[in-house]
Amino acid sequence: MENCLGVINIGEGEGNFGSLCKNRPVYMLPFGGRYRLIDFTISNMVNYGIRTVAVFTGEKIRSTMDHLGNGKPWDLNRRFNGLFLFPPIQKPFGRNGDIAELYSTFDFFEQCKEEYVLIVHPNNIGSVNLNEAYKKFIETDADITLFYKKQIDPWGEYINCDKILLDRNNGFINMGLNLGTEKEFNMFIGMGFIKKKVLMEIVKKSMENGDANYLKQSILISKDRYKINTYEFKGHIEHINNIKSYYNANLNLLNKDISQELFFGGGPVFTKAKDEPSTLYTETSRVHNSLIANGCIIEGSVENSIIFRGVKIGKNAIVKNSILMQKSEVLENAIVVNTIMDKYSIIDRGIRLAGSSVMPYVVEKSQTIRKE
Amino acid sequence: MENKVVAMLLAGGQGSRLKALTRKIAKPAVPFGGKYRIIDFALSNAANSGISDIGILTQYKPYLLNTHIGIGTAWDYDRNVGGLRVLPPFTSEDGGRWYTGTANAIYENIDYIDELDPQYVLILSGDHIYKMDYRQLLKAHKEKGADVTIAVIEVPWEEASRFGIINVDDNKKVVEFDEKPKNPKNNMASMGIYMFNWKHLRKYLIKDSKDKESAHDFGKNILPNMLSEGRLMYAWSFDGYWKDVGTVRSYWEANMDLIDRDNALNIYDKGWRIYTKSKNLPPHYLSRSSVVKNSLINEGCVVRGEVHNSVLFSEVIIESGAVVTNSVVLSNSKIMPGAEVHNAVILEGVTIKEGERIGEEGDGNIYLVTEKGYTIE
């Protein structure tokens, strides 16, 4: 895949994540005990041999800079190729949207030797076999290959997700919105291959004609001029577009098959190392069905939870169905149920905190919850 | 440059008393404490002490050690100026030779040190578990105006004859140096950590290299020679945690020490982190049926059975119905359903079969388990 460039682009909108995304973009949300969402996308790319990765960071760039840095954890700190971060510029050419952003980085696309581009929306977590998809893209000589998954959705959890319409021969017709009218639909998973030449053409045209602000729109407008086909991804995908889906995606890792696939499916998931020692369990600890990262000291009870690096859980404390991010603490006798605790937050002694299983309670970053 | 220190880390040790643990690797590369290797402690100490140049003397089965150290990235030693150099034995016009002793290893690398032109050379050993601020040692060295300062620690009297024993006067000045004495007069043991003034050490190394009778060893030759010629030699007492994991039992003990929440080594100390090469593994998973008490568990493990008073390294699998107590289980080992393991050190990648039993609780033995079976220590 040396001839393919990786582009990470958040496209339209970010969804509503409340305080969790006050200071971080959605793709920087902590995930799975020690990762950020974007780690999965970048690792997936480098594990399949993509050597140049460009990230359109969006506005909340500080956590991105801190985490991605020069790309070392992903071996993207290279003399040739490597990681390119594109911070936003204020309304490039007086326009909103990623078309203008892409247009503002034309030099980069022109200078890259790669002829093909893999564009990924980083809020989709999955271990996608890129070799297989790339092969189809190249063999069919498509201009664009869009990835979809047959998603069964009896509860309407995927309403408002992008839906791919196919004809009888599985030919691409159009992309629309899932309104929940069918039990199963073809969900667009925010990934696609595109010829670099075609991408630049589309972007340029939309800049010129002013007919679209977003790449997705732009592609659909010119869909009859290009050869667009699809690739069906059959594995597990987490589409993270709100607090609830973020919470569920984390807890889904307690399912053995899902965690196996995401963590080991296509090679290791790389992230910034933190040098935490192993986790210490004391005589009073009781832990069931939980994923626990390094550097924790656990003296209380934990059940159905995801515990990030360096978390402390005191004696007789109970943590259930919760996500405890890096360095958060639950002190003695406190009870935390159906809750997301952001980094460095503290639940004081004896406090009881519970969200509902439908919507978790969110403790803000660095917040301490105590009586009075 | 004034006050410049170059550290020379002796990492060629075979560690034959660790038996199967060092079958394929040098002692400094032996895994320790869930995610570390023994050498991580000396390397992290050096990095945390602000030492910018470190030479690592390798010799015995160095493949894994070299892979682990790499270019020193984990300890921030991949630098433009200074940094880490791996120094294996080499050949020259007058033939090739292995390092024949600790002093000889330094002698063979005089060129490396000369090029850096330091005022002080700090000799370290890669096979001890401890946290030490070498700046304190340097401070004491400078305050006394010493030619050499030796870090010493009080060891149990019954073990004193295993060590180089230092006899000092009231001013901590060394008066006598006993290498592994039968009847020690003292229990102040040399930690194998020496701060030398380079210009003096250099002379003694050259002189020693010409002495055919010499064992080319710091403890046996260099230090006694310097003392007999009246060089100013002082002892500097260290009172923190220090363990020479020389035997399977002391290796097991040092791992077990970490389980105590208030242990003196405290690897959770953010002011003095121990760094190591990252393995990129996901968090560990404890299932509904798991029971984990008083244990240290590292990334990538899956526990469905019972674990008591044990240290699990990375990617260890404990199946349901299996019981592990008072044991150290190295990476990628598997304990199958219904198996029981007590007081054991299980090597990397070993599978304990279904229903198999190793060790007895409280029998006082340590069982060293390889894929071929176990030996009793």
Side-chain angles (χ1 to χ4, degrees), chain B residues 83-366:
Chain B
L84 174 151
R85 294 286 176 275
V86 174
L87 306 168
F90 54 90
T91 61
S92 61
E93 310 81 71
D94 42 329
R97 52 204 170 258
W98 295 105
Y99 295 148
T100 51
T102 51
N104 173 253
I106 308 297
Y107 167 77
E108 295 286 355
N109 289 288
I110 280 181
D111 286 348
Y112 165 74
I113 303 174
D114 275 349
E115 193 180 329
L116 295 168
D117 190 25
Q119 197 170 358
Y120 306 102
V121 166
L122 173 64
I123 307 295
L124 301 172
S125 146
D127 36 8
H128 300 143
I129 308 289
Y130 67 113
K131 295 197 297 195
M132 182 192 284
D133 188 344
Y134 302 130
R135 285 173 295 202
Q136 303 296 324
L137 175 62
L138 178 64
K139 194 167 160 248
H141 181 76
K142 277 161 52 179
E143 274 170 7
K144 301 267 188 191
D147 295 323
V148 50
T149 304
I150 303 169
V152 297
I153 190 161
E154 279 184 45
V155 294
W157 276 97
E158 62 273 21
E159 285 182 37
S161 54
R162 270 179 54 203
F163 294 94
I165 295 296
I166 311 277
N167 299 311
V168 294
D169 68 10
D170 293 344
N171 201 19
K172 287 264 164 107
K173 189 166 179 285
V174 178
V175 291
E176 199 183 359
F177 198 91
D178 288 342
E179 183 66 15
K180 298 181 183 168
K182 282 204 180 93
N183 301 303
K185 295 176 204 148
N186 203 329
N187 65 339
M188 297 255 277
S190 163
M191 298 169 74
I193 299 169
Y194 318 113
M195 184 70 79
F196 286 100
N197 286 10
W198 173 234
K199 69 172 189 219
H200 297 311
L201 176 61
R202 198 177 184 284
K203 274 184 238 154
Y204 282 91
L205 288 175
I206 292 170
K207 205 168 94 182
D208 176 72
S209 73
K210 291 173 186 147
D211 180 358
K212 291 216 172 73
E213 303 290 297
S214 173
H216 309 300
D217 185 84
F218 277 107
K220 288 185 197 127
N221 312 102
I222 300 285
L223 293 171
N225 285 349
M226 286 179 99
L227 196 61
S228 67
E229 291 185 18
R231 289 283 163 204
L232 280 179
M233 189 179 293
Y234 283 90
W236 176 75
S237 297
F238 176 71
D239 58 2
Y241 181 97
W242 184 77
K243 199 119 187 171
D244 172 16
V245 285
T247 61
V248 175
R249 182 173 288 271
S250 67
Y251 174 77
W252 175 84
E253 275 170 11
N255 274 286
M256 287 293 144
D257 285 345
L258 297 177
I259 296 169
D260 176 7
R261 241 206 101 161
D262 301 313
N263 73 78
L265 187 64
N266 187 14
I267 48 174
Y268 296 89
D269 179 4
K270 289 184 194 74
W272 202 268
R273 277 184 194 270
I274 306 301
Y275 302 101
T276 190
K277 191 177 160 188
S278 165
K279 279 196 175 177
N280 287 304
L281 293 169
H284 57 264
Y285 174 72
L286 306 193
S287 83
R288 281 180 209 286
S289 56
S290 73
V291 178
V292 175
K293 305 274 183 196
N294 269 336
S295 294
L296 208 58
I297 300 192
N298 195 37
E299 290 166 335
C301 293
V302 176
V303 180
R304 298 193 180 88
E306 285 190 38
V307 179
H308 300 270
N309 298 310
S310 296
V311 176
L312 307 190
F313 284 62
S314 56
E315 292 188 279
V316 170
I317 295 175
I318 313 282
E319 290 293 0
S320 56
V323 179
V324 175
T325 70
N326 304 315
S327 295
V328 178
V329 186
L330 267 53
S331 316
N332 295 92
S333 289
K334 256 190 195 157
I335 319 288
M336 298 307 275
E340 273 191 45
V341 177
H342 306 284
N343 309 329
V345 173
I346 299 178
L347 288 197
E348 283 172 56
V350 172
T351 301
I352 308 292
K353 290 188 203 77
E354 215 169 314
E356 199 175 333
R357 276 182 73 105
I358 291 172
E360 286 297 329
E361 253 181 295
D363 70 353
N365 293 326
I366 304 294

Side-chain angles (χ1 to χ4, degrees), chain A residues 113-155:
Chain A
K113 289 194 185 83
E114 289 89 342
E115 288 175 80
Y116 306 108
V117 183
L118 171 69
I119 303 189
V120 181
H121 192 298
N123 302 2
N124 298 281
I125 303 297
S127 174
V128 181
N129 186 332
L130 294 178
N131 283 345
E132 201 182 285
Y134 188 61
K135 208 173 145 202
K136 182 176 178 187
F137 171 63
I138 298 293
E139 276 174 3
T140 56
D141 192 32
D143 291 316
I144 299 169
T145 297
L146 300 171
F147 294 32
Y148 72 92
K149 176 183 163 60
K150 282 201 167 85
Q151 184 68 52
I152 301 164
D153 184 25
W155 313 108

Side-chain angles (χ1 to χ4, degrees), chain A residues 17 27 33 90 318:
Chain A
F17 287 83
Y27 65 77
Q90 196 71 38
I318 298 174

Side-chain angles (χ1 to χ4, degrees), chain A residues 17 157 242-249 340 356-360:
Chain A
F17 287 83
E157 289 176 62
N242 54 33
I243 294 182
K244 175 70 177 149
S245 59
Y246 165 72
Y247 175 74
N248 287 347
I340 298 172
S356 84
S357 61
V358 193
M359 185 47 80

Side-chain angles (χ1 to χ4, degrees), chain A residues 178-216:
Chain A
N178 172 40
L179 299 176
T181 52
E182 302 164 299
K183 264 195 177 161
E184 187 189 76
F185 73 106
N186 296 325
M187 182 173 74
F188 175 53
I189 60 170
M191 299 176 82
F193 282 113
I194 183 167
K195 284 179 178 158
K196 190 169 82 180
K197 196 178 69 179
V198 172
L199 174 71
M200 293 175 73
E201 242 171 59
I202 288 177
V203 168
K204 217 164 159 184
K205 212 163 204 99
S206 280
M207 275 307 282
E208 240 172 359
N209 298 345
D211 54 3
N213 282 337
Y214 290 97
L215 181 63
K216 199 165 71 191

